[in-house]
Amino acid sequence: MSDVTKKKQVDRNRSIDPAVLEVLSKELPCDTAYDRYVAQQPQCKFGDTGVCCRICIQGPCRITNKAPKGICGATAYTIVARNLVRTALGGASAHSDHSKHILLTLKALLDGHAPDYSIKSPEKLRAIAERFEIATEGREDMEILADVVKLGMDDYMRMSGDSVKWIEKTVTPGRVEKFKSHNIMPTSVFETIASATAQTHMGMDADPVNLIFKALEAGLADYTGMHIGTDMSDVLFGVPTPVFTEANMGVINPNKVNIAVHGHNPLLSEMIVQAARDMEADAKAAGAEGIQLMGICCTGNEVLMRQGVPPVTNFLSQELPMMTGAIDAMVVDVQCIMPGVQAVAECYNTRVITTSENAKIPGAHHIDFSEEKALEQAKHAISIAIDGYKEREGVECCIPSDKNKVVAGFSVEALYDLFSAINADAPIKVITDALKSGELRGVALFAGCNNLKGVHDENHMTIAKELAKNDVLLLATGCAAGTYAKMGLLTPAAIDTYAGDGLKAFIKRLNEANAGKLEGDLPLIFHLGSCVDNTRATNLATAIANDFGVDVPKIPFVASAPEAMSEKAVAIGLWNVAMGLPVHVGVVPPVTGSDLVNGIALQVAHDVYGGYFMWETDGTKAAAKMLEALDYRSWKLKVHAETAEKFSAPASAAW
Ligand code: NFS
Ligand code: SF4
């Protein structure tokens, strides 16, 4: 074995998922992200610390001690801050584009051009309408929908004079005031994206504070897109309720037509689920036992939450299920789809089918998805998979047997339904009472991706186990939730293994109050859905703050992206800081090239917004920092509550 091969094999062990390790342990005919990470080392330190500017084509300008300014005179703080704004805009654009597509589909539904879609949750539609004071009494669903869609579109397109309603009506009054008084409240999604892109053009804003405020505004534009995405997906496809299934590569069934859906937008993946049910007989006619659907990344989370489709893997290992030899088709829509999937597909006879006009891969099949012909196109995708299955006959598959049980499907509505069994009048008090009594030490949201700068899934697992042991109520979305699904943390059994006594008692009480209602017991970690569903976590944080009578910066609630990777994760981190939460990030982002910008992220943000970032790559240390942040807030909340009671005054709004 050559030295290079040996080195590759050692470095490939960058995962703690046994199924991933099993696939990587084999001699593989093509490379994976794990190999390409090695090939990219060492990575450029200018890019890594954010001091490379390519904003005009006189550049790239790179900041060093010898050359502390770019050709135009921009210093490190301007360059780092400008790059941060542009990264946040990438995220905001991605989420907004996703939700714009959903809004346009609803518009098509209203106009009679989306025959395969319908309003699955009129209750959610009415709840949204009421949030915005849109009349519902005596009106048809379609009339209400027209008003809600119009409002959503206004939040995308307004040019001046007002601000985003989806923010105004979903956060605390304190946050609305803060965003307005500090000039970070978006006028609309597109306005923020345009003005922030202009603000970071060559020769525009050089003030790092002004730029970072703009990055927070971009974060809030991202929040808007995400919230509209979650709300509208619930209307179109139903509000998630608890589902019971399995996860990891052991769900692949060699005797079935195996189809992975990958990407983000449920518009297509929901149709694939429906088409797969309709085409079970076609698969059998081809000699298969049926169709096995499975999900990757957030479109996988969407169909897990609403349809119980098992997640096969998460972001980093997206190429690996194909390497079992048993995946007949991978249907992808938008975002987080590594171009590398096509080369792997070609080695293993998988058909990659792209479906979005703005996310094509050379060599892949392409179906030009339109809402007008959605189900027909989904069926076409499945017939391509069935053809793949026929060709696969007789080919040996090598499938890791690892899989774990999964309980998912926890929308805020589903959680309130569970809480109502304990406190029907004020469901949120089930959490706030547990926080007051000290049974729960806080609430933590795990979000975000995987990143090979660390070991795949390791930080997600380490931090979650540590916080569970310390009685923190755990919520998860995106590929963080993907890790927990694969690794068995979305199970009742994980409670016995990992939860501290307080958390155990809390979940036990919920189980007892809801006995017989669900197919099984509740899990250790509550899966809230895809990344756009991080807004569900914010809805909970807002409800907790409102119940305590304080603003979000005072509640013991933290967020963490233990393995952040994408621009979307940066945008989400920014709006969580603006919301007033301590936000841990397990990968140091490219801001350390400016002490000033780094200092704003870590400290000044706290003084202004109450939220702040913590960079910590070590999982155990990160958990300790998150616990410290929770404890500090609990202690202060208690002091403020006691003082307020003593003087019969409202709780202080300051932090
Ligand atoms: Ni979120 Fe979901 Fe995963 Fe990261 Fe990508 S799939 S939208 S960006 S990698 S969590
Ligand atoms: Fe260099 Fe300024 Fe152009 Fe950036 S904008 S590449 S720092 S000259």
Side-chain angles (χ1 to χ4, degrees):
M1 192 185 288
S2 75
D3 281 356
V4 176
T5 323
K6 251 193 236 159
K7 184 170 179 289
K8 271 192 175 177
Q9 284 196 337
V10 171
D11 285 325
R12 267 184 168 171
N13 287 333
R14 298 183 67 77
S15 180
I16 58 161
D17 175 346
V20 167
L21 290 173
E22 184 178 331
V23 176
L24 290 179
S25 70
K26 305 203 160 69
E27 284 283 334
L28 301 171
C30 46
D31 60 20
T32 68
Y34 300 83
D35 306 306
R36 296 186 297 265
Y37 174 77
V38 175
Q40 281 294 335
Q41 302 310 310
Q43 285 168 292
C44 166
K45 83 170 167 51
F46 298 104
D48 199 35
T49 55
V51 291
C52 173
C53 183
R54 291 187 300 110
I55 275 177
C56 88
I57 51 178
Q58 293 183 94
C61 293
R62 297 168 305 174
I63 300 305
T64 62
N65 286 339
K66 251 176 54 206
K69 290 180 183 174
I71 296 165
C72 66
T75 55
Y77 59 61
T78 299
I79 293 175
V80 170
R82 251 180 351 202
N83 286 341
L84 179 65
V85 175
R86 291 221 158 173
T87 304
L89 287 173
S93 303
H95 282 137
S96 315
D97 203 43
H98 163 157
S99 303
K100 178 194 81 185
H101 201 169
I102 297 178
L103 275 175
L104 289 173
T105 303
L106 284 163
K107 179 79 175 56
L109 173 65
L110 286 164
D111 296 343
H113 298 308
D116 303 322
Y117 298 92
S118 59
I119 298 173
K120 287 272 161 51
S121 178
E123 300 79 20
K124 180 83 180 210
L125 174 65
R126 280 163 195 271
I128 297 167
E130 272 153 28
R131 185 202 293 153
F132 296 114
E133 287 145 32
I134 292 171
T136 53
E137 278 288 309
R139 297 183 77 198
E140 296 288 326
D141 289 345
M142 289 299 242
E143 281 176 81
I144 302 170
L145 181 64
D147 287 352
V148 170
V149 168
K150 160 120 185 22
L151 189 70
M153 289 186 165
D154 286 348
D155 271 359
Y156 267 75
M157 296 190 292
R158 188 180 298 112
M159 286 175 77
S160 67
D162 203 349
S163 45
V164 165
K165 302 297 152 211
W166 240 272
I167 299 177
E168 284 181 3
K169 298 288 183 187
T170 60
V171 302
T172 60
R175 289 293 95 181
V176 175
E177 205 186 302
K178 177 67 76 180
F179 300 158
K180 287 189 172 168
S181 63
H182 288 65
N183 204 22
I184 63 165
M185 178 68 107
T187 297
S188 71
V189 174
F190 292 162
E191 200 289 323
T192 294
I193 292 172
S195 62
T197 309
Q199 191 168 330
T200 50
H201 187 274
M202 190 272 156
M204 283 288 286
D205 202 358
D207 179 340
V209 176
N210 210 33
L211 282 163
I212 290 180
F213 276 33
K214 200 67 183 178
L216 291 171
E217 185 188 317
L220 289 174
D222 181 74
Y223 170 86
T224 307
M226 294 174 76
H227 209 309
I228 291 177
T230 296
D231 282 340
M232 294 307 168
S233 301
D234 282 356
V235 170
L236 256 187
F237 303 118
V239 178
T241 54
V243 288
F244 295 75
T245 181
E246 293 175 328
N248 214 344
M249 288 193 234
V251 305
I252 302 170
N253 184 337
N255 304 320
K256 289 189 174 182
V257 178
N258 290 300
I259 305 172
V261 290
H262 177 16
H264 283 76
N265 201 326
L267 285 174
L268 174 71
S269 51
E270 279 279 340
M271 287 296 138
I272 295 273
V273 176
Q274 203 179 316
R277 285 176 189 150
D278 293 351
M279 290 178 73
E280 196 71 14
D282 303 63
K284 287 187 176 147
E289 284 173 12
I291 297 174
Q292 178 64 56
L293 282 185
M294 61 202 80
I296 302 175
C297 286
C298 283
T299 220
N301 281 322
E302 299 277 357
V303 288
L304 164 67
M305 293 286 285
R306 297 194 183 87
Q307 308 287 351
V309 171
V312 64
T313 201
N314 57 354
F315 168 75
L316 197 55
S317 37
Q318 60 181 265
E319 296 160 294
L320 274 49
M322 290 187 282
M323 291 176 149
T324 63
I327 304 295
D328 300 304
M330 182 152 99
V331 186
V332 305
D333 50 80
V334 290
Q335 302 168 21
C336 299
I337 302 143
M338 294 186 190
V341 294
Q342 179 59 23
V344 177
E346 283 167 19
C347 287
Y348 289 90
N349 200 33
T350 301
R351 275 100 163 131
V352 173
I353 305 168
T354 56
T355 56
S356 168
E357 63 179 4
N358 60 2
K360 297 183 179 176
I361 303 176
H365 293 248
H366 184 74
I367 295 178
D368 208 3
F369 178 74
S370 83
E371 54 277 338
E372 192 108 53
K373 294 182 288 185
L375 191 59
E376 182 192 322
Q377 288 174 321
K379 287 187 175 167
H380 179 41
I382 291 186
S383 65
I384 294 175
I386 294 176
D387 288 345
Y389 174 84
K390 287 189 210 152
E391 267 184 41
R392 172 159 65 83
E393 255 199 316
V395 175
E396 200 195 334
C397 300
C398 231
I399 304 168
S401 58
D402 307 85
K403 59 179 174 182
N404 276 297
K405 294 235 173 301
V406 166
V407 189
F410 296 100
S411 55
V412 172
E413 291 85 344
L415 287 173
Y416 273 34
D417 189 41
L418 296 167
F419 296 161
S420 296
I422 296 174
N423 189 335
D425 296 334
I428 196 65
K429 284 202 187 295
V430 175
I431 294 186
T432 51
D433 287 348
L435 290 170
K436 273 186 207 155
S437 73
E439 180 177 54
L440 290 179
R441 223 161 132 181
V443 184
L445 165 69
F446 289 92
C449 332
N450 300 127
N451 188 323
L452 270 170
K453 285 186 172 166
V455 173
H456 176 207
D457 291 338
E458 186 176 63
N459 264 353
H460 286 313
M461 289 296 282
T462 309
I463 304 174
K465 285 182 194 171
E466 203 58 38
L467 294 192
K469 189 168 81 190
N470 284 286
D471 300 322
V472 177
L473 179 63
L474 305 177
L475 315 171
T477 58
C479 289
T483 302
Y484 304 135
K486 291 188 301 174
M487 303 294 279
L489 263 57
L490 305 186
T491 58
I495 298 170
D496 299 331
T497 320
Y498 301 114
D501 290 342
L503 182 58
K504 262 186 198 152
F506 178 83
I507 300 178
K508 185 166 174 235
R509 201 163 55 251
L510 277 176
N511 274 326
E512 283 170 357
N514 290 283
K517 199 153 103 187
L518 303 179
E519 199 180 309
D521 279 345
L522 295 168
L524 174 68
I525 301 180
F526 292 84
H527 189 334
L528 301 188
S530 66
C531 283
V532 295
D533 296 333
N534 281 311
T535 52
R536 299 193 201 273
T538 305
N539 295 159
L540 264 188
T542 301
I544 291 171
N546 285 339
D547 189 61
F548 276 127
V550 299
D551 200 0
V552 177
K554 292 184 103 181
I555 62 167
F557 197 120
V558 289
S560 172
E563 303 177 20
M565 173 278 302
S566 73
E567 291 173 313
K568 292 177 285 174
V570 173
I572 294 169
L574 285 162
W575 66 251
N576 271 288
V577 165
M579 291 295 168
L581 299 180
V583 176
H584 161 254
V585 183
V587 182
V588 181
V591 295
T592 54
S594 161
D595 287 341
L596 186 88
V597 175
N598 199 36
I600 294 173
L602 302 178
Q603 181 56 50
V604 179
H606 174 252
D607 302 339
V608 181
Y609 295 99
Y612 55 94
F613 283 109
M614 302 180 268
W615 323 133
E616 179 52 71
T617 55
D618 180 285
T620 312
K621 286 188 194 152
K625 287 183 185 176
M626 289 166 71
L627 279 171
E628 202 181 310
L630 290 173
D631 287 348
Y632 178 72
R633 287 182 169 212
S634 295
W635 166 77
K636 245 184 138 177
L637 190 59
K638 202 162 152 242
V639 172
H640 284 216
E642 279 167 7
T643 314
E645 198 170 321
K646 193 165 146 200
F647 296 103
S648 314
S652 156
W655 51 88

